[in-house]
């Protein structure tokens, strides 16, 4: 459905100003040093399952595909039902990833 109305910029800044960082002197669990990445308990995906296949199929990652996505976003036309999108409606529909043409789909191409 429709996303909620975002809080005002002033309220956001006010909230951020009231935030307090953790006080390490009061926390016995505070890390003394960072943990090397190879010591972290992270999942390792092995085997024949191509769990990423659907992601790579949906978001092709090449310069050519990035240019196609950008061209499509800037040339998106209104549909028969009057719905539209693309750059012309980005400001109003950028939070509506459920609407075709509401986002540029360029994030997958950024590094």
């Amino acid at each position: 459905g429709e996303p909620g109305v975002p809080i005002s910029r002033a309220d956001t800044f006010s909230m951020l100003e009231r935030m307090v960082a953790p006080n390490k002197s009061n926390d016995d669990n505070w890390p003394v040093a960072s943990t090397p990445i190879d010591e972290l308990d992270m999942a390792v995906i092995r085997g024949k399952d191509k769990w990423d296949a659907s992601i790579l199929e949906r978001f092709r990652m090449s310069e050519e595909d990035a240019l196609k996505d950008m061209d499509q976003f800037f040339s998106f036309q209104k549909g028969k039902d009057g719905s539209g999108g693309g750059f012309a409606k980005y400001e109003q529909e950028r939070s509506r990833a459920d609407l075709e043409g509401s986002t540029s789909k360029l994030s997958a191409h950024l590094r």
Side-chain angles (χ1 to χ4, degrees), residues 74-86:
F74 280 101
S75 63
F76 193 85
Q77 301 295 315
K78 287 189 173 187
K80 293 178 184 177
D81 62 355
S83 64

Side-chain angles (χ1 to χ4, degrees), residues 21-32:
N23 185 345
K24 60 183 172 183
S25 63
N26 295 335
D27 186 354
D28 294 334
N29 297 318
W30 189 268
V32 178

Side-chain angles (χ1 to χ4, degrees), residues 3-65:
V5 176
I7 62 174
S8 72
R9 186 175 293 180
D11 289 341
T12 300
F13 285 124
S14 175
M15 177 183 64
L16 292 172
E17 288 172 346
R18 291 190 310 266
M19 294 179 85
V20 179
N23 185 345
K24 60 183 172 183
S25 63
N26 295 335
D27 186 354
D28 294 334
N29 297 318
W30 189 268
V32 178
S34 63
T35 305
I37 195 163
D38 56 335
E39 292 178 19
L40 295 174
D41 185 24
M42 298 172 59
V44 177
I45 300 171
R46 295 185 173 92
K48 297 178 183 177
D49 292 339
K50 300 291 185 186
W51 61 270
D52 60 342
S54 61
I55 296 169
L56 294 173
E57 191 175 303
R58 172 72 172 92
F59 298 102
R60 299 184 192 283
M61 297 178 205
S62 70
E63 184 175 355
E64 181 181 338
D65 289 310

Side-chain angles (χ1 to χ4, degrees), residues 69-97:
D69 286 344
M70 185 176 65
D71 288 343
Q72 183 178 6
F73 180 67
F74 280 101
S75 63
F76 193 85
Q77 301 295 315
K78 287 189 173 187
K80 293 178 184 177
D81 62 355
S83 64
F87 185 70
K89 289 216 170 181
Y90 179 75
E91 184 64 31
Q92 293 86 18
E93 296 181 353
R94 66 181 177 200
S95 298
R96 297 293 309 273

